[in-house]
């Protein structure tokens, strides 16, 4: 898929914190506002940013982190396409979940692990929410630990989202996932709920499928690592995500949390009328 001027338009709302991306044209001019002639579905928007992230940031010879989720799916798909066509060569990738591993294997993407490659050139993944400082909520799909351990050692972490994921403050729009060990999990949930930064939250143990935070079964959801997930529901925006991240990490029984603070290199955002990019 080629991102030409005929396909790309930009989010250029006046005064927005997310500035429009400049796209060079054949006439060496910067294109700031080109509108698409037809409205795109949410999946089409996800495909746009997934493909664009790979086209712009993945080069031959790189070690690439492959994210998990409905938007990251298209980035993985694009890597597979470009390897098959020969546009990319000598790529190895590290998946962040079992389902991403299975998708990558089906596309013929060579896979490695952090045990052999502790430094990545780039990781590409989606997010459940993005605030104005590019703090993220991730883990709606239950892969937060594997996503974070891969993405935190990447030279560049490119986040791909549609405009519905942009928020003024983390919390109310999407619960904060926390992966905890099964042993004495009810105790751990109480400790989390008693943290100063979490005093206004409602901890809810995830049931059914771990791949979403909807109650779609009676059994406790289990991550790829054999752990449980607690979703922290907030009615008001989190005042200090970094402080909350530190407090959660210090709780014995917490494996990892879904606050990704200060990690994103850039966020590529797809809207109904185009694409914009916010860099850290």
């Amino acid at each position: 898929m080629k991102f030409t001027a005929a396909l790309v338009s930009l989010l250029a709302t006046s005064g927005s914190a997310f500035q429009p991306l400049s796209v060079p044209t054949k006439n060496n001019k910067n294109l700031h506002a080109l509108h698409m002639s037809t409205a795109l579905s949410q999946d089409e928007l996800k495909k746009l940013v997934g493909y664009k992230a790979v086209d712009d940031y993945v080069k031959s010879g790189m070690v690439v982190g492959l994210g998990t989720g409905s938007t990251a799916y298209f980035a993985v798909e694009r890597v597979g396409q470009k390897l098959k066509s020969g546009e990319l060569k000598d790529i190895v990738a590290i998946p962040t979940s079992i389902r991403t591993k299975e998708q990558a294997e089906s596309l013929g993407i060579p896979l490695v692990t952090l045990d052999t490659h502790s430094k990545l050139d780039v990781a590409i993944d989606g997010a459940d929410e993005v605030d104005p400082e590019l703090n993220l909520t991730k883990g709606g799909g239950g892969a937060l630990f594997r996503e974070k351990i891969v993405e935190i050692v990447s030279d560049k972490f490119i986040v791909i989202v549609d405009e519905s994921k942009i928020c003024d403050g983390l919390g109310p729009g999407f619960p904060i996932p926390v992966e905890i060990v099964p042993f004495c999990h009810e105790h751990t949930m109480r400790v989390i709920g008693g943290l100063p930064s979490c005093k206004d939250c409602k901890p809810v143990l995830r049931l059914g499928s771990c791949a979403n935070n909807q109650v779609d079964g009676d059994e406790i959801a289990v991550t790829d690592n054999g752990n449980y997930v607690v979703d922290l529901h907030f009615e008001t925006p989190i005042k200090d995500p970094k402080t909350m991240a530190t407090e959660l990490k210090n709780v014995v029984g917490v494996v990892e949390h879904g606050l990704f603070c200060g990690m994103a290199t850039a966020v590529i955002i797809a809207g109904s009328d185009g694409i914009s990019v916010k860099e850290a």
Side-chain angles (χ1 to χ4, degrees):
M1 180 175 183
K2 302 295 184 181
F3 279 81
T4 64
L7 290 177
V8 180
S9 63
L10 308 172
L11 293 174
T13 304
S14 178
S16 171
F18 295 91
Q19 298 301 314
L21 172 69
S22 297
V23 180
T25 66
K26 291 183 179 180
N27 296 325
N28 295 320
K29 295 180 180 180
N30 286 330
L31 181 66
H32 290 284
L34 176 67
H35 293 282
M36 294 179 180
S37 58
T38 57
L40 299 179
S41 69
Q42 190 174 38
D43 278 348
E44 288 170 329
L45 293 175
K46 291 177 179 181
K47 187 172 184 177
L48 281 176
V49 291
Y51 278 36
K52 178 173 176 57
V54 174
D55 290 347
D56 288 357
Y57 290 97
V58 179
K59 310 300 179 186
S60 293
M62 282 188 168
V63 181
V64 182
L66 302 178
T68 296
S70 59
T71 307
Y73 173 92
F74 291 109
V76 179
E77 180 179 80
R78 184 60 168 162
V79 171
Q81 288 179 356
K82 298 189 81 169
L83 278 172
K84 185 176 181 179
S85 70
E87 293 178 75
L88 288 177
K89 300 179 184 296
D90 301 320
I91 291 287
V92 293
I94 300 178
T96 55
S97 67
I98 292 175
R99 58 186 181 277
T100 297
K101 176 178 180 289
E102 292 171 346
Q103 182 194 6
E105 288 174 338
S106 73
L107 296 170
I109 301 173
L111 299 180
V112 293
T113 73
L114 290 177
D115 286 337
T116 58
H117 294 72
S118 290
K119 194 68 174 177
L120 286 72
D121 297 291
V122 64
I124 301 172
D125 203 354
D128 299 303
E129 280 196 321
V130 182
D131 76 6
E133 283 71 48
L134 303 191
N135 297 313
L136 317 173
T137 297
K138 290 178 52 56
L144 57 155
F145 171 76
R146 296 194 185 195
E147 289 171 339
K148 188 174 286 187
I149 197 173
V150 168
E151 289 153 8
I152 203 166
V153 295
S154 299
D155 288 340
K156 294 181 179 180
F157 174 30
I158 309 304
V159 181
I160 49 177
V161 296
D162 64 77
E163 62 186 350
S164 69
K165 306 300 177 65
I166 305 304
C167 67
D168 293 329
L170 303 180
F174 198 94
I176 308 299
V178 182
E179 186 167 349
I180 65 173
V181 297
F183 180 75
C184 295
H185 66 276
E186 293 181 356
H187 159 76
T188 303
M189 290 176 63
R190 285 195 296 272
V191 173
I192 290 171
L195 294 172
S197 61
C198 298
K199 63 180 181 180
D200 297 325
C201 82
K202 179 183 178 182
V204 177
L205 186 65
R206 190 174 294 190
L207 300 178
S209 171
C210 192
N212 64 74
N213 60 7
Q214 306 302 311
V215 179
D216 55 5
D218 297 327
E219 300 294 324
I220 298 175
V222 179
T223 70
D224 288 347
N225 310 306
N227 296 315
Y228 296 166
V229 175
V230 178
D231 292 301
L232 308 182
H233 294 253
F234 289 84
E235 293 185 358
T236 58
I238 297 168
K239 295 179 180 179
D240 190 343
K242 292 181 180 179
T243 295
M244 181 180 292
T246 299
E247 290 185 357
L248 286 169
K249 193 67 174 180
N250 286 337
V251 173
V252 177
V254 168
V255 176
E256 194 51 80
H257 55 76
L259 292 169
F260 286 52
C261 300
M263 290 179 56
T265 303
V267 179
I268 305 176
I269 309 143
S272 57
D273 60 350
I275 293 175
S276 65
V277 175
K278 176 71 182 289
E279 296 183 343

